[in-house]
């Protein structure tokens, strides 16, 4: 897939295009803005796949018109639009709206946290979804898990990183709490929409960029700028995506359409995970053939990041009751998952 195919933004829309969902002859058509270019592999196809599944399962009674990031609303403004009723439903990683509530990071990814499988297990059986529903209800929203990138790359750096000192003063694109973690190590962490990453890295405005992983990083052309890619992303051991409904709009749907939407989100989540795992492996091999060097994060950098994360985590916990209660639930299952994974998965991964 060519980079320009999915980085080209559509024309701006009028306020009317965001307004009340169209309902005609028993059929509903709703606008669905996403934070990403809608044709971007993995993240964009996650929401277009969801829309296709709903249309098919409902026999066309409910359809979504997907708009890429910036076409209807700013990439980081999707949940605001849904909360305000400007769009009945949207698609983004929850932490893009963490300015509203810092606990939203835990529903996407936190540094040194859960893998994709562990994260969904916590949401489904560990009380995570109930916490998520409660916190989103504060803004009249209803969220559904719709996918995960699994473990990401630490980032593309123009210069080799050999120690913590090499991080100081770097301008780096990085999302989520990873940005706060890196700031404590002297990095100027910058959050920018995905379509802007390539140009900013190419122009010199950025010294480094963390996006997703080999699959999407290759599609965005980051390997054309630098051949240094570090693995893994301790800041994002997984990263969840979500379909988020305005609760008033959700209540307008019949029970069978609600069930279809929930099933379609789950189906899209499984497709996304398989897509990322399959294409990341293939993209990694292709990037190595192009001369990309995948480097380990140095031990002192990893240790410094862990210490910085613990400081960020404790500061947020002291500031937010929602963070405190979400963290209590998350950490309880994480502790069990670590023990299990170290006993079952780690030896297998080392020896297979």
């Amino acid at each position: 897939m060519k980079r320009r195919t999915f980085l080209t933004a559509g024309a701006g829309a009028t306020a009317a295009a965001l307004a009340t969902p169209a309902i005609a002859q028993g059929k509903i058509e709703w606008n669905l803005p996403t934070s990403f270019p809608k044709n971007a592999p993995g993240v964009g196809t996650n929401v277009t796949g969801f829309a296709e599944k709903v249309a098919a399962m409902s026999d066309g009674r409910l359809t979504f018109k997907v708009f890429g990031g910036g076409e209807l609303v700013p990439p980081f403004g999707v949940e605001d639009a849904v909360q305000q009723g400007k769009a009945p439903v949207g698609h983004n990683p929850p932490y893009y709206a963490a300015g509203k509530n810092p606990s939203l990071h835990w529903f996407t990814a936190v540094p040194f946290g859960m893998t994709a499988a562990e994260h969904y297990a916590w949401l489904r059986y560990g009380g995570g979804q109930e916490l998520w529903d409660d916190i989103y209800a504060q803004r009249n929203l209803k969220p559904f898990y719709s996918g995960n990138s699994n473990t990401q790359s630490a980032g593309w750096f123009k210069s080799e990183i050999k120690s913590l000192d090499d991080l100081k003063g770097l301008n780096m694109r990085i999302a989520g709490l990873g940005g706060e973690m890196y700031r404590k190590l002297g990095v100027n962490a910058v959050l920018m929409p995905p379509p802007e990453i390539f140009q900013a890295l190419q122009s010199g405005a950025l010294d480094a960029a963390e996006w997703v992983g080999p699959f999407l990083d290759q599609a965005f052309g980051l390997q054309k700028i630098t051949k240094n890619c570090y693995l893994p992303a301790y800041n994002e051991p997984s990263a969840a995506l979500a379909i988020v409904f305005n609760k008033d709009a959700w209540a307008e749907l019949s029970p069978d359409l609600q069930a279809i939407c929930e099933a379609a989100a789950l189906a899209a989540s499984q497709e996304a995970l398989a897509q990322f795992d399959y294409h990341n492996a293939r993209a990694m091999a292709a990037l190595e053939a192009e001369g990309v060097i995948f480097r380990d994060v140095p031990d002192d950098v990893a240790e410094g990041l862990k210490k910085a994360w613990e400081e960020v985590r404790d500061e947020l916990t002291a500031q937010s009751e929602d963070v405190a209660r979400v963290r209590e639930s998350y950490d309880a299952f994480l502790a069990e998952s670590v023990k299990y994974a170290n006993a079952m998965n780690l030896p297998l991964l080392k020896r297979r």
Side-chain angles (χ1 to χ4, degrees), residues 30 83 85 88 140-142 245-253:
W30 283 356
Q83 179 182 353
N140 201 39
L141 301 175
K142 184 171 183 62
F245 287 85
N246 177 285
K247 288 193 73 175
D248 294 332
W250 177 254
E252 294 178 13
L253 297 178

Side-chain angles (χ1 to χ4, degrees), residues 153 156 213-214 217 227-231 280 283-289 291-296:
S153 301
W156 297 76
D217 294 355
K227 302 299 184 185
N228 288 312
C229 184
Y230 284 82
L231 307 175
N280 272 332
M284 187 173 186
L287 288 168
E288 286 178 324
V292 171
I293 301 173
F294 290 99
R295 303 182 186 274
D296 294 334

Side-chain angles (χ1 to χ4, degrees), residues 39-178:
N39 293 321
V43 289
T45 54
N46 178 246
V47 65
T48 56
F50 165 79
E52 290 167 2
K53 289 174 177 62
V54 170
M57 288 192 286
S58 69
D59 195 24
R61 289 185 296 129
L62 175 60
T63 59
F64 297 106
K65 186 174 182 181
V66 177
F67 291 88
E71 291 183 338
L72 284 183
V73 300
F76 300 128
V78 170
E79 286 192 10
D80 280 343
V82 177
Q83 179 182 353
Q84 295 162 10
K86 295 179 180 178
V89 59
H91 172 262
N92 69 343
Y95 68 9
Y96 275 11
K100 303 292 183 181
N101 188 320
S103 71
L104 272 57
H105 288 285
W106 274 258
F107 301 108
T108 302
V110 294
F112 297 91
M114 295 181 188
T115 64
E118 292 166 341
H119 192 251
Y120 181 64
W122 171 66
L123 288 173
R124 184 71 178 85
Y125 294 108
Q129 185 68 52
E130 290 79 5
L131 286 164
W132 197 11
D133 287 340
D134 180 65
I135 288 167
Y136 268 51
Q138 297 171 13
R139 293 185 291 135
N140 201 39
L141 301 175
K142 184 171 183 62
F144 292 96
Y145 172 85
S146 69
N148 202 301
S149 67
N150 216 330
T151 306
Q152 299 197 359
S153 301
W156 297 76
F157 290 78
K158 290 184 175 179
S159 300
E160 190 174 348
I161 303 300
K162 297 180 179 180
S163 71
L164 279 171
D165 288 339
D166 293 327
L167 291 176
K168 294 177 181 177
L170 292 184
N171 294 317
M172 181 179 181
R173 189 275 177 190
I174 184 168
L177 291 177

